[in-house]
Amino acid sequence: MAKILVHVTVGPNDPTRAALAFFVARAVLEEGHHLVLFVAGDGVHLLTPESAASVEGLGSGKLSDHFEAINAATAEIYFSGMSAKTRSISPDDIVLRGATPGNPNKLVQLIAQSDKVISY
């Protein structure tokens, strides 16, 4: 079982790529690997109920379906506290269960501890 970090910075302005990031994160879990997810930059917009309900990628599915699968599994989930704050997104707005605010130092630690890193 590999520890795979999926780092998401793409936002709802690119719905196919955004949904693909979480589709791949879901696949990490389905394949039995340990998922570590870090969402930063414009990607934090994806973690709101509005984006979860409306973002759908061409061929990469509905964001809400991927979130449902991720919430049903065990994963380490982080979001950039600075990115969220500057975009007026509070921790209570985050729809992924157990998501924890992190900072660049935490991201570097997670990268160093991971077997593979995928960035979107």
Side-chain angles (χ1 to χ4, degrees), residues 16-62:
T16 297
R17 192 167 175 211
L20 181 61
F22 290 94
F23 191 24
V24 170
R26 178 181 180 176
V28 168
L29 293 167
E30 290 172 353
E31 291 297 315
H33 298 290
H34 179 85
L35 172 65
V36 181
L37 184 62
F38 196 103
V39 184
D42 288 334
V44 297
H45 286 292
L46 298 170
L47 303 178
T48 65
E50 298 79 24
S51 286
S54 66
V55 172
E56 182 172 357
L58 184 60
S60 52
K62 294 180 179 178

